[in-house]
Amino acid sequence: MVDDNVFREVDEELRRERLEKLWEKYGTIIIGAIVLLILGVAGSIWWQNQQVSKRQAAGDQYIQALRDVAKDDTDKADEKFKALIENSPKGYEIMSRLHLAANLASKGQTGEAEILYKKVTLNPSADKILRDYAKLNLAILKLENATYEETSKALGEFTKPGAIWQNTANEVVALAAFKEGKYDLAKTGFTDILTNKSTPSALKRRAQIMIDVIATRQVQK
């Protein structure tokens, strides 16, 4: 009988020959695939590291900008917010737009502020709460020139019970009514604010003051 070792050696030799032929035929492709895999993994790791680095840098700059605002140095803060809008992860970019818009509005640059708020409202990647907040601020900026009907329509969805910006929206709508001499409507709005358990104390105080002012105006009539 032929020794099993002979069959084993022949089998191994055949396998070796097959592998050599396969390597001759596909070796370059295999090497290329391995290289692409390594590059892909390395690229993915590099990209993730870059994103982490960007977030950290943006976070540091954002905190510095908030500190400038706290110091009332809005010009410095605005420069930082503008830089973050141009080159930062989405979260910081959106928040920077809102802060910059608020700063510009406080300086009387309402046109530029409106543009920034509008961009947030139209950004599908922005959180709905932030989009609604931007809509609310747009209505506030337009309050002086808008009619009660326009303001009421713009903020209708925010004045519904349970809406996150309900109290602030009610205040804006009530102020629009007061501005046009619609005192009954204004009083109803301010009373809703006053009786709402979720209303912050500062807003309640403002509502009470406006109710007192309305009462005086109605007596004078």
Side-chain angles (χ1 to χ4, degrees):
M1 285 182 70
V2 181
D3 193 336
D4 286 344
N5 288 331
V6 175
F7 287 112
R8 217 176 278 118
E9 287 178 14
V10 172
D11 188 47
E12 286 178 2
E13 190 64 31
L14 288 171
R15 285 181 186 175
R16 199 176 296 116
E17 284 182 12
R18 285 197 209 100
L19 284 172
E20 285 176 0
K21 287 179 181 178
L22 284 169
W23 184 258
E24 286 175 8
K25 191 173 182 180
Y26 300 110
T28 305
I29 296 172
I30 292 168
I31 290 171
I34 292 170
V35 169
L36 286 174
L37 179 63
I38 293 169
L39 288 175
V41 172
S44 177
I45 292 170
W46 176 85
W47 185 85
Q48 288 174 12
N49 288 337
Q50 285 293 101
Q51 292 304 304
V52 170
S53 179
K54 273 187 177 182
R55 287 193 199 96
Q56 289 174 341
D60 291 341
Q61 191 170 7
Y62 183 73
I63 290 169
Q64 287 298 324
L66 293 181
R67 285 175 180 165
D68 289 337
V69 172
K71 292 175 187 175
D72 208 24
D73 195 346
T74 54
D75 289 339
K76 272 188 180 179
D78 289 352
E79 289 304 313
K80 292 182 177 70
F81 287 135
K82 285 175 183 176
L84 286 165
I85 290 169
E86 291 298 320
N87 184 29
S88 71
K90 286 180 182 178
Y92 289 111
E93 179 259 324
I94 292 165
M95 292 303 297
S96 295
R97 282 189 191 279
L98 292 173
H99 281 294
L100 180 59
N103 287 347
L104 292 175
S106 69
K107 296 173 185 177
Q109 299 174 15
T110 54
E112 293 178 44
E114 282 184 21
I115 292 170
L116 288 165
Y117 282 131
K118 279 179 183 176
K119 284 187 176 180
V120 176
T121 66
L122 298 172
N123 188 339
S125 67
D127 189 279
K128 186 179 184 302
I129 291 174
L130 296 180
R131 292 202 306 271
D132 287 350
Y133 178 74
K135 286 180 185 177
L136 185 62
N137 278 278
L138 270 175
I140 292 170
L141 287 178
K142 294 177 179 179
L143 179 61
E144 188 175 347
N145 298 315
T147 64
Y148 165 76
E149 284 74 18
E150 288 170 339
T151 304
S152 181
K153 184 179 179 180
L155 298 181
E157 62 182 295
F158 305 128
T159 58
K160 294 175 182 176
I164 191 166
W165 303 113
Q166 181 189 2
N167 291 314
T168 305
N170 279 336
E171 183 179 30
V172 176
V173 172
L175 285 170
F178 177 82
K179 184 170 67 75
E180 289 188 8
K182 301 179 187 293
Y183 297 133
D184 289 336
L185 285 171
K187 185 177 180 180
T188 298
F190 288 121
T191 302
D192 288 343
I193 293 169
L194 203 60
T195 56
N196 191 329
K197 292 179 181 178
S198 68
T199 304
S201 57
L203 185 46
K204 280 188 176 184
R205 286 195 294 272
R206 291 202 300 272
Q208 185 60 66
I209 290 169
M210 290 306 300
I211 288 170
D212 294 340
V213 170
I214 290 168
T216 302
R217 293 280 181 93
Q218 287 178 324
V219 168
Q220 289 174 348
K221 274 191 171 184

